[in-house]
Amino acid sequence: MPSQRLIPMQPPQDEAHRAPSAAAEDAQWSRPESQAWTGMLLLGTCLLYCARVTMPVCTVAMSQDFGWNKKEAGVLLSSFFWGYCMTQVVGGHLGDRIGGEKVILLSASTWGFITVATPLLAHLGRAHLAFMTVSRILIGLLQGVYFPALTSLLSQRVRESERAFTYSTVGAGSQIGTLVTGGVGSVLLDWCGWQSVFYFSGGLTLLWVFYVYKYLLDEKDLVLALGTLAQGLPVARPSKVRWRQLFRKPSVWAAICAQLSSACSFFILLSWLPTFFRETFPDAKGWVFNVVPWLVAIPASLFSGFLSDHLISQGYRAITVRKFMQVMGLGLSSVFALCLGHTTSFLKAMVFASASIGLQTFNHSGISVNIQDLAPSCAGFLFGVANTAGALAGVVGVCLCGYLIEATGSWTCVFNLVAIISNMGLGTFLMFGQAQRVDLISTREDL
């Protein structure tokens, strides 16, 4: 009998195309899992900002105790971003490889401990500014992995039609955390001293870590991830993303520029608004100006996510919706920031600050989700690159503001700088922003 060659059966082409999507659907959270994780990540983001905002809230009191001037305070406030910009890409890469939830838990446990220990570090010796600067750099290093890992986690576990609302909901934790520290922290600051604010925010973070570890994470997976990190071994299949091709896309650079602008503008306002209100309106209550803008921002963030998903479900193109969100988050918010520098009324200043901070939350449904549109397979890494640029700009912007205030004696230059940075990013995104995937590779191309 003539020999017959066995021909391996190939899966039908449509099945081959369905396989990756089926695997992706299997990795997505069920409805109860999604609700549980969304709630805990919202709380985690809240506590991240509780720890982050503790220093800006306490800066005036600490400056009085230790004799810091505006330049020294600016160096201290900007030092957080020195560390923050160094771990963005690492956090995104690890999130894509071992799972964003594990990266978040490991980093939160460490930054919570350092926050609790900060008052002790401040009194170790006479070099108060040096010790505080080092502690802020360390917290920046640890918190730098959070949002890239979060972006990676949500891009893999949340349905595309629900990403904007989920990200906006979790992102609202940044306003809630700032609100909690601004409100409770201001009361603790007046009653118990600045040390109590650090104990409060750090202690709550450690309690959150314990709960997530005990009830939401698989202990074996976490131990395996720790072992993998300790050994420095590859933790997943090699990436097939062609990085050179990815970074040749104008839409990728438009996303990076927009994220840079939004992050830098937000960091400047986050760091300097408490000092602006204390010095411009010395008779105002701290809990008012540290609470109201962030209280307004919470429903604004939730509304932006709902509006974004609703518009897309009604047939509007994704990129049209993303650009509209950025017009609100970068364009209109910068108008209200400009108004802050030209008012002597406390009531008007509160309205302008609340509007500017509230509108900035629309960035969650714009550029933050656009990065997941462009490259869901490596969203954590790409967000890390974009947020690194934003953190570097934050270092320069926050520190520069301290020098500008010291040199001019006016706050107008600070808000002018915020408007310039915001509109540069907006213009770039409006011109070159897209929502089509750029991380897909044709099987005929050489890898």
Side-chain angles (χ1 to χ4, degrees):
M1 295 179 62
S3 61
Q4 296 182 348
R5 297 172 60 188
L6 296 177
I7 302 176
M9 295 185 64
Q10 300 291 336
Q13 190 172 3
D14 58 341
E15 291 185 12
H17 284 293
R18 280 200 304 267
S21 61
E25 289 179 3
D26 290 340
Q28 290 176 345
W29 286 322
S30 64
R31 182 70 63 180
E33 288 176 327
S34 180
Q35 292 172 348
W37 272 106
T38 299
M40 291 311 298
L41 290 171
L42 168 63
L43 185 56
T45 306
C46 168
L47 293 171
L48 174 120
Y49 269 82
C50 280
R52 183 180 298 187
V53 176
T54 297
M55 184 64 75
V57 168
C58 297
T59 296
V60 174
M62 295 177 73
S63 295
Q64 293 173 351
D65 283 357
F66 300 124
W68 300 332
N69 60 31
K70 287 290 188 303
K71 292 180 181 179
E72 291 171 330
V75 170
L76 176 61
L77 290 173
S78 66
S79 64
F80 170 87
F81 303 104
W82 303 351
Y84 190 70
C85 66
M86 295 175 65
T87 52
Q88 296 284 326
V89 176
V90 173
H93 176 73
L94 290 176
D96 292 336
R97 294 294 176 264
I98 68 174
E101 68 277 18
K102 303 178 188 67
V103 176
I104 288 171
L105 186 74
L106 294 173
S107 65
S109 62
T110 316
W111 93 57
F113 175 77
I114 294 175
T115 302
V116 169
T118 295
L120 175 63
L121 295 174
H123 293 93
L124 281 180
R126 295 184 178 180
H128 310 293
L129 185 63
F131 282 117
M132 288 296 91
T133 300
V134 171
S135 71
R136 290 296 288 174
I137 292 173
L138 289 175
I139 291 178
L141 284 167
L142 294 162
Q143 291 198 352
V145 305
Y146 185 89
F147 281 105
L150 175 66
T151 301
S152 175
L153 178 63
L154 297 185
S155 69
Q156 295 172 17
R157 298 299 185 92
V158 178
R159 295 177 180 86
E160 185 175 0
S161 61
E162 300 174 358
R163 282 179 190 163
F165 182 74
T166 302
Y167 201 100
S168 296
T169 301
V170 174
S174 60
Q175 286 78 45
I176 298 174
T178 308
L179 172 65
V180 170
T181 303
V184 178
S186 295
V187 174
L188 289 174
L189 185 64
D190 293 337
W191 290 0
C192 307
W194 59 264
Q195 297 90 341
S196 62
V197 187
F198 288 92
Y199 297 143
F200 171 75
S201 58
L204 287 180
T205 300
L206 294 178
L207 288 175
W208 178 82
V209 167
F210 174 77
Y211 182 89
V212 173
Y213 171 74
K214 189 169 181 65
Y215 296 106
L216 290 181
L217 275 183
D218 188 322
E219 185 176 349
K220 293 182 179 178
D221 289 344
L222 186 60
V223 171
L224 179 61
L226 282 170
T228 303
L229 290 175
Q231 296 175 16
L233 298 176
V235 293
R237 62 184 183 278
S239 173
K240 294 183 178 180
V241 177
R242 298 181 66 179
W243 298 111
R244 289 185 181 180
Q245 191 71 20
L246 189 68
F247 285 107
R248 287 174 184 168
K249 302 291 186 181
S251 58
V252 171
W253 285 107
I256 292 174
C257 288
Q259 178 62 26
L260 181 155
S261 298
S262 63
C264 182
S265 300
F266 180 72
F267 292 152
I268 290 174
L269 293 178
L270 181 71
S271 298
W272 284 109
L273 271 182
T275 306
F276 163 74
F277 276 104
R278 282 193 178 276
E279 294 194 348
T280 308
F281 308 101
D283 296 331
K285 297 294 184 181
W287 66 267
V288 176
F289 57 75
N290 283 327
V291 167
V292 174
W294 311 103
L295 187 62
V296 171
I298 295 169
S301 181
L302 297 175
F303 173 73
S304 71
F306 169 79
L307 179 62
S308 177
D309 286 343
H310 176 71
L311 290 175
I312 291 176
S313 70
Q314 294 298 309
Y316 289 91
R317 295 175 61 219
I319 189 56
T320 302
V321 176
R322 307 295 185 233
K323 289 182 177 180
F324 170 72
M325 293 295 163
Q326 288 308 121
V327 168
M328 303 294 288
L330 287 175
L332 189 56
S333 68
S334 69
V335 173
F336 287 104
L338 279 175
C339 295
L340 267 174
H342 297 86
T343 182
T344 57
S345 165
F346 176 71
L347 178 59
K348 290 182 179 179
M350 286 301 305
V351 171
F352 296 149
S354 300
S356 184
I357 295 296
L359 287 168
Q360 282 198 357
T361 64
F362 280 63
N363 293 322
H364 295 317
S365 301
I367 186 58
S368 297
V369 183
N370 182 245
I371 290 175
Q372 299 176 45
D373 295 334
L374 295 172
S377 66
C378 55
F381 179 88
L382 185 56
F383 186 89
V385 172
N387 224 29
T388 297
L392 287 170
V395 171
V396 177
V398 173
C399 198
L400 177 61
C401 286
Y403 282 90
L404 289 174
I405 298 166
E406 193 78 16
T408 65
S410 171
W411 286 90
T412 303
C413 56
V414 173
F415 302 117
N416 289 344
L417 181 63
V418 168
I420 291 170
I421 293 170
S422 296
N423 285 283
M424 287 177 62
L426 175 61
T428 304
F429 188 69
L430 291 178
M431 290 178 64
F432 301 107
Q434 296 294 333
Q436 290 86 5
R437 288 189 65 170
V438 295
D439 61 340
L440 295 176
I441 301 174
S442 172
T443 54
R444 297 182 181 180
E445 293 186 83
D446 295 330
L447 299 179

